[in-house]
Amino acid sequence: MNSLSRSNDANIIRVAQVIVLTSFIVLWEISARTGLTNVTWTSSPFRIADNFWTSLMSGELLNHLRVTLSEALAGLALGAAVGILLGMVLGVSRMVGAIIEPFIMALNCLPRVALGPLIVMYLGIGFASKFALAFSLVVVPMMINVFEGIRSTDPVLVNLLRTVGASRMQVFFKLLLPNCIPWIFSALRVSISFAMIGAIVGEFISARAGIGYMIDTAAGAFNVTGMLMPLIVLMLVTFTFDRLFVMLRNRLLHWRPADQR
Amino acid sequence: MRRDEGLSLSIRGLSYALRDRSRTMRQILDNVDLSVREGEFVSVVGPSGCGKSTLLNFISHLLPVQQGELEVLGAPVQAFNTKVGYVFQQHALLPWRTVIENTELGLEVKGEGREERRARCREVLAQMGLAGFEDHYPSEISGGMRQRVSLARTLVAEPEFILMDEPFGALDAQTKVLIQEIFLKYWEQHRRSVLFVTHDLGEAIALSDRVVVMSARPGRIIADHVIDLPRPRNGERLRSNPRFIEYHDLLWSALRDEAANAMQVAQ
């Protein structure tokens, strides 16, 4: 396919996406206004936008968002750092990797959000418990991805590095680490939403602030608009992070043909 | 032309057995004796699976010696030797490095200064016909070019002894002939010791001073012929030379039964 028709395709895709989004919003609004749907149950785009504006102006929304984001991003940062480190240790050391592998997989099979009540019991209802929950959700997928990334290294390339006299450190930094980068990024993309889930679930269990707290409070008042608004805001924020990761990845993987990044 | 008559490689009684999936011991190499003189180009031909590549792995220290004696550049093999270059069957380029960054890998690992190694790489890349492609990524160049980068990476480190494992095996016929010529020209200028593994008899005769034939598994040396054809050689004219055809017939008669054996074993 030539580049002209490819950029043409990209335009068609963009236009189609805009059409899908606007028609969804317009249909939702129309059905709410005509009484086809009950605004008590499903709210309406206008109500949500209005609620958003009020909450934004009063500073309430940003306050809660800041709390949730700091919990989730701190959990993501430490979870990613520890996960990458563990994944590398396991990937590099055959012995340690083989011993620990079933434990990691078992941990991965544990529904970790269910640890929430326990973590709140241990760490209280403040920042620490949400951070810990986000961390626990992030660390395992990060570790598994990096582990797989290390193990996917072409053995011919390892042999090449060894025959040119590379030390273990050189093999790591010149081969294993760069080889892992695509895996690290796909893990980060999954992990950003895991971190948000961790923070929100922690706030559901018990909290005094945060997006989860906002949703929980609105639910108590039977306020669907008040539940949907913070939910949509959080979705858009998480989506922005995902796009940022994709951009960063494409920049780091610029050596790959565009359709293989 | 040769600096002296020292040995770059001396192998005596090298044997190697491996436990296969069904847990029975299989003999891969059986009592192999082989030597390469300094500045000599020796090819090893043999049916697929005869242990040709395994032999190179011993010499490069990728595999530890089980049984037998092995001396490379006058010393027993105890570590990876940067004076020994290895050109793999696959181009083995790091996809995230440009052509020149791949070429300088060995020099970089050795800790050579950036300016100097870059200058040397440019020179060798130009000799390989890759001038102007220094900043391309491997995904942006052809298979033949990738293999030339792989050659350049080995040659720029100026190894005293070069191991080559079917380096042109994956290339199409025309590309193969062109790269053989580029390499032959380079080799005839520099005369480094080479041990070249291939299953292509014509290629072996065209390039080598000596061709060694290995048997089907377990690999043994069953023939060893000096190729007395004048240098510098020209690949195309060489192939119609009656002596070339004689050598081909001679070596093929040794190889044919082994190739047939290997096929039966495989079935």
Side-chain angles (χ1 to χ4, degrees), chain B residues 82-151:
Chain B
T82 53
K83 288 178 185 156
V84 177
Y86 199 144
V87 183
F88 294 88
Q89 188 172 4
Q90 304 91 327
H91 53 75
L93 299 180
L94 303 180
W96 51 84
R97 282 177 169 241
T98 60
V99 164
I100 197 157
E101 287 167 350
N102 267 292
T103 311
E104 70 184 348
L105 182 71
L107 303 178
E108 184 186 316
V109 164
K110 270 192 219 166
E112 196 167 302
R114 186 186 153 97
E115 289 310 314
E116 199 199 325
R117 68 183 193 231
R118 286 272 160 128
R120 282 170 65 188
C121 288
R122 277 208 182 83
E123 203 177 303
V124 178
L125 285 171
Q127 282 175 316
M128 295 289 123
L130 289 166
F133 290 95
E134 290 87 351
D135 297 324
H136 283 60
Y137 285 97
S139 62
E140 299 167 338
I141 59 177
S142 69
M145 292 167 93
R146 286 179 206 152
Q147 201 56 350
R148 274 182 278 162
V149 177
S150 163
L151 264 179

Side-chain angles (χ1 to χ4, degrees), chain A residues 93-121:
Chain A
S93 161
R94 253 162 224 279
M95 201 56 158
V96 179
I99 294 170
I100 297 188
E101 199 258 2
F103 297 106
I104 294 168
M105 293 323 279
L107 260 183
N108 194 41
C109 295
L110 183 79
R112 269 151 294 146
V113 285
L115 287 177
L118 202 63
I119 290 177
V120 172
M121 235 172 73

Side-chain angles (χ1 to χ4, degrees), chain A residues 156-157 159-167 170 174-175 178-179 254-257, chain B residues 60 62 80 82 86 88 90 92-97 105-106 108-109 137 139 153:
Chain A
V156 174
L157 296 180
N159 283 346
L160 165 77
L161 265 287
R162 292 169 72 202
T163 56
V164 300
S167 65
Q170 283 174 324
K174 292 186 195 299
L175 176 60
N179 188 68
H254 62 99
W255 49 270
R256 281 193 181 187
Chain B
S60 65
L62 285 170
F80 291 102
T82 53
Y86 199 144
F88 294 88
Q90 304 91 327
L93 299 180
L94 303 180
W96 51 84
R97 282 177 169 241
L105 182 71
E108 184 186 316
V109 164
Y137 285 97
S139 62
R153 175 179 60 199

Side-chain angles (χ1 to χ4, degrees), chain A:
Chain A
M1 203 185 284
N2 62 44
S3 61
L4 185 73
S5 72
R6 204 168 265 182
S7 74
N8 206 11
D9 279 359
N11 286 338
I12 293 173
I13 290 170
R14 283 274 171 272
V15 170
Q17 285 167 338
V18 171
I19 292 173
V20 167
L21 184 65
T22 21
S23 40
F24 174 74
I25 293 172
V26 167
L27 285 177
W28 187 4
E29 187 64 41
I30 289 173
S31 64
R33 291 199 181 223
T34 55
L36 200 67
T37 53
N38 188 336
V39 288
T40 315
W41 294 107
T42 51
S43 187
S44 77
F46 182 78
R47 278 158 194 262
I48 291 170
D50 186 52
N51 184 287
F52 169 76
W53 190 246
T54 320
S55 188
L56 187 69
M57 286 296 108
S58 70
E60 192 193 6
L61 177 65
L62 289 183
N63 220 5
H64 288 299
L65 190 62
R66 191 177 46 74
V67 169
T68 301
L69 274 184
S70 62
E71 293 159 354
L73 292 183
L76 178 70
L78 191 73
V82 172
I84 289 171
L85 212 68
L86 282 176
M88 283 174 174
V89 169
L90 299 190
V92 170
S93 161
R94 253 162 224 279
M95 201 56 158
V96 179
I99 294 170
I100 297 188
E101 199 258 2
F103 297 106
I104 294 168
M105 293 323 279
L107 260 183
N108 194 41
C109 295
L110 183 79
R112 269 151 294 146
V113 285
L115 287 177
L118 202 63
I119 290 177
V120 172
M121 235 172 73
Y122 290 153
L123 298 176
I125 63 165
F127 172 84
S129 58
K130 286 79 178 176
F131 161 74
L133 203 53
F135 170 86
S136 78
L137 284 175
V138 167
V139 69
V140 179
M142 282 306 297
M143 180 164 67
I144 290 173
N145 260 282
V146 172
F147 180 58
E148 291 293 331
I150 297 264
R151 290 214 301 190
S152 77
T153 311
D154 184 348
V156 174
L157 296 180
V158 179
N159 283 346
L160 165 77
L161 265 287
R162 292 169 72 202
T163 56
V164 300
S167 65
R168 281 180 145 247
M169 285 304 250
Q170 283 174 324
V171 173
F172 181 78
F173 282 108
K174 292 186 195 299
L175 176 60
L176 301 181
L177 184 62
N179 188 68
C180 261
I181 287 186
W183 273 267
I184 290 177
F185 273 96
S186 51
L188 276 176
R189 292 183 64 188
V190 177
S191 294
I192 180 70
S193 50
F194 278 4
M196 295 293 184
I197 292 172
I200 296 290
V201 169
E203 287 166 4
F204 279 171
I205 294 167
S206 182
R208 286 195 211 92
I211 296 289
Y213 170 80
M214 275 182 99
I215 295 171
D216 201 35
T217 311
F222 232 78
N223 175 4
V224 173
T225 307
M227 289 169 75
L228 287 180
M229 190 278 290
L231 205 59
I232 290 169
V233 168
L234 196 64
M235 179 184 84
L236 293 177
V237 168
T238 309
F239 183 65
T240 308
F241 275 103
D242 179 68
R243 293 290 106 171
L244 283 175
F245 287 147
V246 171
M247 272 166 60
L248 191 62
R249 182 196 63 181
N250 289 350
R251 177 164 282 228
L252 283 171
L253 297 186
H254 62 99
W255 49 270
R256 281 193 181 187
D259 51 355
Q260 284 170 30
R261 275 179 197 141

